[in-house]
Every structure is written in structure tokens, then in C-alpha cells.
Amino acid sequence: MIYLDYAANHPAEPEVLARFCAVESAFPGNPNSAHPAGRAARAELERVTTSAAELLGAKPEEIIFTSGATEANNLAIKGLARASRHVGRHIISTALEHSSVSGSLTYLQEQGYEIDLVPIGRDGRVDLEEFRALLRPDTVLTAVTAVDSELGVVQPIAEMREILKDFPSCRLHVDATQAIGRIPFSFEGLDTMALAAHKFGGINGSGILVKRADLVLEPQMHGGVSATRYRSGTPALALDASTELSLRLALEGRERHWAHVERLNRRLREELSKRPGVRINSPEGAVPYILNVSVNGIRGAAFQRALAERAVCVSVKSACSVEGTPSRAVFAVSRDRKNALSSWRISLSWPTTDEEITEFLRLFDECRQQLSK
Ligand code: PLP
């Protein structure tokens, strides 16, 4: 099998799996219990939380462990919007968001919130002038991805933060799921930030919402105060510990991983661009981990299936989106519906090898020939 879908799921690092098992067996108590086993688990949870916070440029009380980025995005977006509903009901976002962001916004729209999407330039980045023009005194939230999962475009978060200084009622939520461990990124200057550990070598079903300490958020789950009053339920200590370790490993290896992935991406770009009818949709400045392509006249889903029959794993849009509809992200940069329907995504990571790229290119040609008939 050739696995080129790391943006959808990254295999857990062996040390991370070992850490999960070690913590799960060493700490049988519930961190919320007031006996020795509970206190030991609580102390370990605090250690893990403090370390994760340091790695993200946050304070320990700003960390909310979640089941992943979907939960973190839902909690931040609905929680912030609900908490500021008396200030205003206007929200700004983009067409590049993951369905856990756009779905939360649709839910809020049905509750009477007004949603505006900032136009995206041909480089895939938010148009800052348009962003400024959309902001209003009743804008309570801007929800934007730091790196989108389909094209890999890096958004101008620092510039957006600067603009938002003139709009003190507007909170900034950043979905950093595809950014953490890939580009230098921290929580500094943000209001909330979502991430998922399974995108960088952690275990599925684990993530973090970072929330500025002085900010109020309406919880989405009710029933008991736990590690934080924003998310009830018994803390998943072993998952949280494995998340912290995967974060540490991803950040320590970031530059080395980037150099390796960038070289493979350059090779893919060069080779694929030589083939007639192939269009590279990821702009030049996109992260090398994600390469979005289209083959003229062939639906993305058909190409993906042909590759899958040859044991090659790639994605059409993101793993959680609706099949058969054109990619909103690719449409935003190409303004071409047919091209958006033909698009699909290759995503690389540090385990990807040169041999896999060579074999992928051979199978790509085979699929193209078969589907062009
Ligand atoms: N946000 C982005 C940018 C993603 O790529 C993903 C997953 O593909 C998510 C959110 C959702 O993450 P999770 O699967 O942890 O819920």
C-alpha cells in the first residue's frame, strides 16, 4: 500500500502508543477523585497539561483536551457565539474551512446568526481589505483556518489579528489542525485555537481547544465540572499524555520533517506538471505536506477510486466532506467548477519515501491512461 493521505490521518508514533499504554496502566484512578489514586492521576494530568501549554505558547488553564478538532471547533465557535449573543450575531469565516467549522456556522445561521465569507484571492489567501470591509461593530467572531486541509494554503493570521485590534468585540478562532507541527505556530494573540493530535503522530480521538483564560465560553456538554468547566466527563489521562508527547515530537522534528517533505513535494510538482492535462491547484506558497491536483476531464472521485484499486490512498476533498460536490477551496482559487470537480489531494509526511513517490507516479500514469479511454 502507498499511503498518501496524512492530512486525513497520521499514523501514531510508536513512542506515543507506548506512552498511552504506560499511562493507562500506571494511573487507574479518576483524576477527579479525592483519594490517592485519583490524586496521582490528577498530578500527572497537571504535568501533561502544563507541558502541552508550554509547547503551544499558552497557559495550563487555557488547555481543554477534546476528542479532536471537530469537537474543539464546535465548542469554540458555538460556545463563543452563544456567549456573545447579546453583543451581536455577525460572524466572518472563509470558504476554505473544514466541515466542522462550516457545519457549526450553518447551525448558528439556523439560530439567527448572520455569516459572511471573506473572498479568497487566487493565491488562496484571505483578501485582507475585504476582511476589513466586512467587519462591523456587531461582529462577534472570525473563524479561520491557519492552513486549510485541501490546498495547504497558509492564511495571514498575524495580519488579521492586527485588523481585529480595531474591533474589540470580535473574537478570533483559528483552526490550527493542519498547521501544528508543520509551520511555526503558537497560541499567542489568539482567542481560541483548535488542533487534533492524530494529524501529527498522536492517537485518534484526541485533540485540544486552547482558550484564552479570561474568555467566557458556553459549554456544549453539561453535567459536572471536570478538568475544566468547559468540558465535562472523566479526563482521558492516557490520551492527553499521548497528545502531549506527540506534540513534543512533532515540534522537535518540525524543521527536519519539513525539509524532507518539501523535497518530495518539489519532485511531485515537477513530475506531475510535465504530464498533459494535469493542473496543480495548491499555490506555490502552500505547505509542502498538501498537494492538490486535477486531471482535466476526469472526476476527482474516479481518479481516487482508480488509485485505490491499486492500493494507493489519496483523498477527494477532506475525509469528512460530502461526496460528488465540487471542492469549495479549489473553486475559490481556480474559479472553475469543472476543475474543482476534478480535484483531489495527495498529502505527504515524514514517513513518505522516494520509492513511494516513484511507484505513485507510475500508477498515476496507469490510472490516467485507463480513465482517458
Ligand atoms: N480541521 C481541519 C483543518 C482538518 O483537516 C480536520 C480533519 O481532517 C478537522 C478540523 C477535524 O479533525 P478531527 O478529525 O480531529 O475531528
Side-chain angles (χ1 to χ4, degrees), residues 7-8 68-71 73 98 100 145 147 149 175 177-178 196 198-199:
T70 295
E71 184 190 334
N73 280 328
H98 183 263
S100 55
T145 182
V147 172
S149 56
D175 180 358
T177 308
Q178 298 290 347
H198 71 100
K199 305 292 185 183

Side-chain angles (χ1 to χ4, degrees), residues 3 5-13 68-70 73 98 100 147 149 175-182 194-207 243 246-247 250 257 289-290 315 318-320 345 347-351:
Y3 187 74
D5 201 17
Y6 290 94
N9 198 40
H10 201 291
E13 295 289 315
T70 295
N73 280 328
H98 183 263
S100 55
V147 172
S149 56
D175 180 358
T177 308
Q178 298 290 347
I180 298 291
R182 284 149 173 83
L195 62 97
H198 71 100
K199 305 292 185 183
F200 49 77
I203 295 175
N204 284 81
S206 50
T243 295
S246 62
L247 187 56
H257 296 152
Y289 288 81
I290 292 175
S315 266
S318 72
C320 317
R345 176 189 75 188
S347 56
L348 313 168
S349 191
W350 50 91

Side-chain angles (χ1 to χ4, degrees), residues 147-165:
V147 172
D148 77 277
S149 56
E150 284 188 61
L151 298 161
V153 173
V154 182
Q155 293 302 329
I157 304 293
E159 290 86 337
M160 293 175 81
R161 239 175 49 200
E162 272 309 301
I163 293 173
L164 284 171
K165 283 186 178 159

